[in-house]
Amino acid sequence: DIQMTQSPSSLSASVGDRVTITCRASQTISSQLNWYQQKPGKAPKLLIYAASSLHNEVPARFSGSGSGTDFTLTIGGLQPEDFAIYYCQQSDSPPLTFGGGTQVEMK
Amino acid sequence: EVQLVQSGAEVKKPGESLKISCKGSGYSFSTYWIGWVRQMPGKGPEWMGIIFPGDSDTRYSPSFRGQVTLSADKSISTAYLQWSSLKASDTAIYYCARQRYSFHAQKFYGMDVWGQGTPVAVSS
C-alpha cells in the first residue's frame, strides 16, 4: 500500500492568514492526489483533485500543487468557514489511501 | 441533484450480520464507481474498497478484504456494504462516495459526491 503522510497534524491560524499543508507519498504517484475538507459531523468534501484542479464551486483561495511524492494545499486568506480537518488521498493505485489529517484551528 | 442517500444508523451485537445501503440519484449510477470509507471515532477516513455497479467489478483494500462484502444492484441504483459477523471494532461511521474514474486515462480521481454516512455501533 502507498502510505500518505501529512504535516503538520494540527496548526493554529487567524482569519486572513495564508495556510500551507503538506502531504508526502511513500512512492511516486504522479499527480494522482486529492484534498478533502471535513467539518464535525459531516462527510468529507472534495476540494482539489489531480493535485491542482479545483472541484466545482470550491473557492479560489484553495489551491494545490506538487507531483511525484510531495504535494501542498494552500489556503490563501483563511476564512471563518475554513476551520476544519484537511485530508489528502492518493488515487494512483488501490487501495486509495488517505493521509492522517491536518486540523486547522483558530488561533 | 446528484446525491447518495445511505440507510440509517444501526445498533448491533457482536457476531450479528449487517447490510447497509447507498442509493444514488441524479446521475447514471451504473457508470460510476462507488467507494466505501470507514471513519472510526475520532480518526481519519480509511478507504475500504470500490465497486463498479455496471458489472460489479470490485476492488478491496487488503485491510478489509475478507472482512466485508461490497455489492450493487444497478436496477435500483443501490450499492451495499455487508458484514457476516460484526465485531466491536467495526463501530464507526461508514460513508459511500462516488469515485471518479477516467476510462480514457484509466485513472481514478477524487470522491466527489458523498452520502451522509451510516453510524454503526457494535456492542454486547
Side-chain angles (χ1 to χ4, degrees):
Chain A
D1 299 3
I2 299 173
Q3 307 302 316
M4 305 302 294
T5 304
Q6 285 184 238
S7 61
S9 57
S10 66
L11 64 89
S12 297
S14 301
V15 172
D17 284 354
R18 182 182 179 87
V19 168
T20 299
I21 298 167
T22 64
C23 180
R24 175 165 287 175
S26 61
Q27 64 190 68
T28 184
I29 57 170
S30 184
S31 295
Q32 298 306 110
L33 193 282
N34 312 301
W35 290 99
Y36 299 85
Q37 176 194 68
Q38 188 176 30
K39 296 182 179 179
K42 299 293 188 182
K45 288 177 57 176
L46 179 65
L47 296 175
I48 288 171
Y49 63 95
S52 60
S53 296
L54 214 58
H55 185 52
N56 300 340
E57 300 181 2
V58 173
R61 61 181 180 274
F62 291 93
S63 64
S65 65
S67 67
T69 60
D70 294 312
F71 301 86
T72 299
L73 172 70
T74 299
I75 310 172
L78 199 65
Q79 295 300 300
E81 61 269 28
D82 300 336
F83 293 100
I85 303 176
Y86 293 85
Y87 296 98
C88 62
Q89 180 206 29
Q90 65 85 14
S91 52
D92 183 70
S93 59
L96 307 187
T97 41
F98 288 88
T102 296
Q103 181 151 19
V104 176
E105 300 172 315
M106 193 176 300
K107 185 182 287 183
Chain B
E1 179 191 6
V2 175
Q3 59 179 351
L4 296 171
V5 177
Q6 297 184 231
S7 49
E10 301 277 359
V11 179
K12 305 293 269 187
K13 291 183 171 17
E16 292 185 330
S17 63
L18 176 64
K19 191 173 189 177
I20 63 175
S21 66
C22 168
K23 183 172 176 62
S25 61
Y27 74 100
S28 178
F29 185 78
S30 61
T31 62
Y32 287 81
W33 291 84
I34 290 288
W36 288 91
V37 173
R38 180 176 79 175
Q39 192 160 33
M40 299 176 77
K43 302 296 186 183
E46 300 172 87
W47 189 88
M48 302 174 70
I50 49 174
I51 186 165
F52 189 74
D55 62 5
S56 292
D57 185 12
T58 309
R59 317 279 170 88
Y60 289 94
S61 165
S63 299
F64 292 93
R65 185 176 291 120
Q67 308 305 309
V68 297
T69 301
L70 305 186
S71 60
D73 184 343
K74 63 184 179 182
S75 69
I76 55 171
S77 300
T78 302
Y80 302 96
L81 170 63
Q82 69 180 86
W83 296 258
S84 58
S85 180
L86 286 160
K87 309 179 188 66
S89 57
D90 293 318
T91 295
I93 298 175
Y94 293 87
Y95 294 101
C96 64
R98 191 172 75 170
Q99 178 78 66
R100 296 298 298 270
Y101 180 75
S102 166
F103 289 94
H104 172 72
Q106 296 193 24
K107 290 184 183 295
F108 288 103
Y109 294 99
M111 303 178 98
D112 66 342
V113 181
W114 290 68
Q116 80 277 21
T118 296
V120 174
V122 183
S123 174
S124 54

